[in-house]
Structures are given as C-alpha cells and as structure tokens.
Amino acid sequence: AQTNIELSRLPQSSTAAYYRAVERCPSEAGPDRTLRFLEAENHDPKAAAVKLAKYWEARVALFGEERAYLPMTLAAAMKEEAMNLATRRIWQLLTATDAAGRAILFLTPSRRNFAEYTIEQEFIGLWYLMETICQDQNLRKRGYIVLADPRSTTLQNGNKKSLQLFSLITSVMPTSVKGMHMSYTNAIVTHLFIPVLKRLLPTEYRLRLKVHSGSTNEVLTSLSGYCLPPDRVPTDMGGLLVVDNPAWMVKRLALETVRQNPLMASSALAGLSLPVPVSTTTSLLVAAAAAHLQQQQQQQSGGTLGFPINVATLSGNGTGGGVGAVAPQVPASVCVGSNIPPAGSNGTGHFSDLTDRQLYDRIVQERQTNSTGRRADPRMNHALVLSLEDPNLPRLDALVAGGFQFGASRAELEMVSPTAIKDSENVSLRQRRDQLSRRLREVRKWIKQARDSGTLVNDHGNEAAANAGSNAEAASALLHMQR
C-alpha cells in the first residue's frame, strides 16, 4: 500500500506506463510484481516505486505499446521473437546455477548479425530471460552472473547501443548482477571491447567484470575460483554442461501454459514456430509442467531453472492420471536433461541402432518378461535414468530430480559435507551418491555385455540394470520419450 502511495507522488509522465499496465493487464501489474520490487529495494517503498515506474517505461519502450501489456510469456509478448530466441542463441539462460545458486546468463556475441536481427530483438530476448529469473524467489534474491564467450567476435559484432540496452534492462529488473566473466578473449576484445565496457558500464558492473584468459584448462580453473566449476560451464567453452536452447524453450512454454490454463496447451503450442515437432509433445510436456508446479507447492524451490519430469505422473496407464494409456512419442531433443545422440549413433557391436538409454529400456523390458531382478527404490531408478540420459549431470542433481529430499537448497547442500546431510529417511547424501554411482557402473557394464554378446539378458551378468525395471509404467513412458 505504501508503494502505491509513493507511486501516486511521482510525476505523471513517469508513471503513465505503469497505470496503463494496471488498467490493461492487471495480472502483469499486480501485488506480486510490486512485492518483487519492494524486496529488491530492501523494503524501501519510495525506491521500489521509482524502480517499478522505470521498469514499465523500459518495457513499453522496448516491446512497444501493443506487446508490452501482454503476459510476459512465449505465447504472448514473446510470440514474434520465440523463433529468434531459440535459434540465434546470443543470450541463453543455463539450466544450472553456479555453485552459489545464482542464475547464469550465457552470452555469445559472435552470433550477432545485425543485418538479419536487430539489436532491439536481441534485448527483447534478454528481457524475457531476466523475467524468468525474477519469477523464482530464490534466484531473484541471489541474483545472476553473466558468462561471456567472445571468441570469434569481430568489430561487426559490437554495438554501443547493446551496452546501453543491457544497462537499461538490468537496472530496472528486481534482481541484480553478481558477476561478469569474459573468457577466451581475442585481440579485438582485449584492446577494444573491454576498455569500452569499462568506460561505459556503471561502476558496479565494472568492479564485477573478470577476464579469464589462457588455455581451456587455465580458463576452467580460473572460472572454478568464482563458483563456476566445469559442470556449470557450457560445452561450447570446454565445460561439461550441455545446452539445448530450443528444448528449454519448449519446456518453458509448457510450464507457462499450465500456469495460465492447461486447456489452452494445444493452441498455445500451435501458435508458435519452434524447431521441434511440438504437436507430438503437448500432452507430455503439459503433464510434466503440471507435476512440476505441484512439486513446487509441496517444497520450497531450490533455484532450479529447468524442471524434472515425474515419470510416474507421465506414465498414465489409462486410469485418469498422467497423459493417457499411450504416451506420445517425443524426440530426444525435447526430453528433460537429454543430450543423447540420435538412434544409430553407436556404430559398432550389437544393437548399434540403439543409444545406451534405448538399449537399457530394452534390457528392462526383457528382464520384466523373464521376472528377473528385484524391486528397487523408484526414486533411485529415476535418478539412474536421468544420469544415463545426461552423463554430465551431477549426482546431486540427479538424486534431487529423482525425488530425494535433503531439506536444503542446491547451494546450501554444496557448502556442507555430504556425510552430514541426511535425506528424509536419515540416509546421508554421500551414501545416496555412492549408491547411484554403483548402480551406474553396473548398468553400463550390463549395456556393454549386451553390445558385446547381442543378448539382452545374461544370467552371469549383473542384475543391477533390472532393478530399475521393477516399475513397468515408468519404463514404458521413458521408452516413449526416447523414440
């Protein structure tokens, strides 16, 4: 209420955009957004009012009157830019946070082509990514970092207006930049762009700018000293984090659709032009988003930018839950955490037309038919499957996505000894992590035996792969996900 009073005291010219938003899109200018700004300004109503007014002025200036007052979603305000955001990949929001739990904005300026893509379009995309950060309370409070890879950057990729728009957008958002890291700098970047950056950027940004030079190992070592270990650095920079921007956007679209109205899922997806066959993914993605929203209501968010798919929710089984008796076929490119090559990528041995993950599903089905193996914890099964899909996925992330609850955020878990951290069943994180590692070694051994022998079930082999097959519905749904 006090913030509204302070808004009324500001000049009418500076609050006109805000009051139009209240009238035209009350859901976008409601109490929740006001509270974000109040928290960002340490509960100073006057400062929050000034920043909120500037936010709406900047939003209208960038998006235009027609789009600025639409919901900030891919199907509304971002509808015209969704394809560009998915394919240009100048700015990307990584699915992992840094070790301190802060969001990571990944910038590749060499992908700029101002002849095909205006600077305003680029920063409309950045605005949307910033909005997704601000929607998460933990991320909003912890802030974000910018990780830039300026290799191959030329004079044509630079633009003074880009610095102005970056400063404008970041200054009006209810979150703050905590670090800016520039790696693999070339001569143009070192002697031209960086001096210009230090001259034009605000002081608080200049003080946070760090340059990392040298070989890949030297850069990764340097980044590790700033809460950016290799598993949080994209593979483009020599790290281990696989970035799939179109898949991330499809998942965001499903999540936004469920938040607004699950019944509108098909029309929202059909209204966008994305580089994936979304018509076959609607039901599965919407179900995943619904499961994620339910999970968020049950436990406090730990700052995860993607969302795990609850396999049991997706399996359906024709009983009214999930997505129906037959799960839709979803390409690997849109599966959560998927970085699996397409079928046929294994060129040697038996089952060369199957990926390891697909072969694993075949083994599971075969052992179920033969009633071989014992039941195992479905949470560990899920963590195992996620680790098979993404070999670079940290064990902790796989366990949490699988359903284990350790009572702390991702950043807090990393600051405590894994022996001291207990889950809801009083089992330590170290024990769970070791269990998952053992299961992975055993399953990979089983997969190797299948490729070597051409036999799905080997009585002399290890039974670990069959343990994850005790949940028939999960195996069936996951098999459909990989087709």
Side-chain angles (χ1 to χ4, degrees):
Q2 187 62 38
T3 304
N4 291 332
I5 294 175
E6 294 295 340
L7 280 164
S8 67
R9 293 173 177 170
L10 295 175
Q12 185 176 359
S13 59
S14 66
T15 58
Y18 167 74
Y19 285 117
R20 283 198 298 272
V22 172
E23 179 182 352
R24 296 173 59 177
C25 56
S27 62
E28 289 289 299
D32 289 345
R33 189 176 296 277
T34 302
L35 179 60
R36 294 177 190 175
F37 283 87
L38 193 59
E39 292 175 344
E41 297 302 315
N42 297 316
H43 295 276
D44 181 341
K46 185 174 182 179
V50 171
K51 193 166 190 174
L52 182 57
K54 289 182 177 178
Y55 164 88
W56 278 107
E57 282 187 305
R59 179 162 164 170
V60 172
L62 188 61
F63 282 82
E65 285 280 345
E66 183 177 348
R67 287 192 291 168
Y69 300 117
L70 295 175
M72 190 52 62
T73 63
L74 289 171
M78 287 295 298
K79 185 173 181 178
E80 295 178 13
E81 300 301 330
M83 185 65 173
N84 283 325
L85 184 59
T87 58
R88 299 289 180 176
R89 298 182 297 123
I90 301 171
W91 291 93
Q92 299 176 86
L93 181 57
L94 302 187
T95 54
T97 63
D98 73 355
R102 298 170 297 203
I104 305 173
L105 285 168
F106 181 43
L107 169 64
T108 313
S110 61
R111 294 190 176 123
R112 284 178 175 148
N113 186 341
F114 296 124
E116 300 178 356
Y117 188 70
T118 68
I119 193 68
E120 288 79 12
Q121 287 178 296
E122 173 187 334
F123 282 89
I124 284 175
L126 176 61
W127 184 289
Y128 171 76
L129 297 180
M130 294 285 290
E131 291 275 10
T132 64
I133 294 173
C134 293
Q135 289 172 7
D136 186 292
Q137 183 179 7
N138 288 320
L139 294 176
R140 187 171 67 247
K141 291 181 177 180
R142 291 171 183 158
Y144 62 94
I145 65 171
V146 177
L147 178 61
D149 181 4
R151 285 177 294 184
S152 304
T153 298
T154 66
L155 290 174
Q156 286 69 36
N157 302 129
N159 189 309
K160 182 179 179 180
K161 192 173 183 179
S162 66
L163 293 179
Q164 296 171 339
L165 287 174
F166 176 78
S167 297
L168 173 64
I169 293 172
T170 55
S171 67
V172 301
M173 288 291 176
T175 187
S176 58
V177 60
K178 301 300 184 182
M180 301 175 67
H181 301 274
M182 192 168 292
S183 306
Y184 303 112
T185 55
N186 57 28
I188 293 177
V189 173
T190 301
H191 300 295
L192 181 60
F193 288 165
I194 291 179
V196 171
L197 282 172
K198 291 183 176 180
R199 180 178 166 186
L200 297 179
L201 286 176
T203 302
E204 59 182 297
Y205 292 179
R206 294 200 302 269
L207 295 176
R208 290 180 170 87
L209 178 61
K210 303 294 179 183
V211 179
H212 308 270
S213 303
S215 65
T216 300
N217 287 336
E218 290 172 333
V219 168
L220 293 177
T221 300
S222 180
L223 289 171
S224 295
Y226 293 90
C227 297
L228 285 167
D231 63 338
R232 314 300 175 90
V233 178
T235 53
D236 290 351
M237 294 180 59
L240 301 175
L241 181 65
V242 177
V243 181
D244 189 343
N245 204 43
W248 178 86
M249 289 184 62
V250 172
K251 290 181 285 185
R252 280 294 308 177
L253 179 60
L255 187 60
E256 291 167 354
T257 302
V258 169
R259 280 175 174 159
Q260 293 187 345
N261 186 351
L263 299 179
M264 296 173 57
S266 297
S267 60
L269 285 166
L272 286 177
S273 176
L274 290 174
V276 288
V278 294
S279 60
T280 63
T281 71
T282 303
S283 299
L284 186 59
L285 289 171
V286 170
H292 173 64
L293 290 176
Q294 183 180 15
Q295 184 181 34
Q296 279 190 328
Q297 294 172 354
Q298 294 173 349
Q299 62 184 48
Q300 184 178 3
S301 171
T304 302
L305 293 168
F307 56 88
I309 285 185
N310 185 319
V311 179
T313 304
L314 301 184
S315 58
N317 200 29
T319 59
V323 295
V326 181
Q329 296 183 1
V330 182
S333 61
V334 300
C335 292
V336 174
S338 175
N339 67 344
I340 302 176
S345 60
N346 298 293
T348 59
H350 299 277
F351 306 109
S352 60
D353 60 327
L354 301 178
T355 64
D356 284 352
R357 168 56 203 285
Q358 291 168 330
L359 179 55
Y360 167 72
D361 288 329
R362 290 279 300 276
I363 294 172
V364 165
Q365 291 180 332
E366 185 69 20
R367 292 187 68 84
Q368 287 173 343
T369 302
N370 295 335
S371 300
T372 307
R374 60 182 183 276
R375 294 189 66 86
D377 189 328
R379 297 170 300 173
M380 187 63 72
N381 292 344
H382 191 187
L384 174 66
V385 167
L386 292 173
S387 298
L388 277 177
E389 287 181 340
D390 184 359
N392 301 324
L393 184 67
R395 298 287 186 267
L396 173 57
D397 291 346
L399 290 168
V400 172
F404 290 99
Q405 298 181 4
F406 296 99
S409 70
R410 183 68 162 78
E412 292 168 338
L413 291 174
E414 290 190 340
M415 294 187 292
V416 183
S417 168
T419 305
I421 300 170
K422 307 289 185 180
D423 65 10
S424 56
E425 297 173 0
N426 203 34
V427 179
S428 73
L429 171 59
R430 181 182 295 277
Q431 288 177 286
R432 294 296 191 193
R433 191 177 61 190
D434 291 346
Q435 289 170 2
L436 177 57
S437 295
R438 284 197 300 272
R439 290 281 302 278
L440 274 171
R441 287 195 299 270
E442 293 168 344
V443 166
R444 285 173 179 146
K445 180 179 178 181
W446 189 263
I447 290 172
K448 183 178 184 302
Q449 289 174 342
R451 292 198 186 282
D452 291 343
S453 66
T455 303
L456 291 175
V457 178
N458 185 339
D459 292 335
H460 300 290
N462 203 301
E463 293 187 358
N467 295 339
S470 57
N471 190 330
E473 294 179 357
S476 175
L478 289 168
L479 181 60
H480 281 295
M481 288 172 60
Q482 281 299 293
R483 289 178 180 171

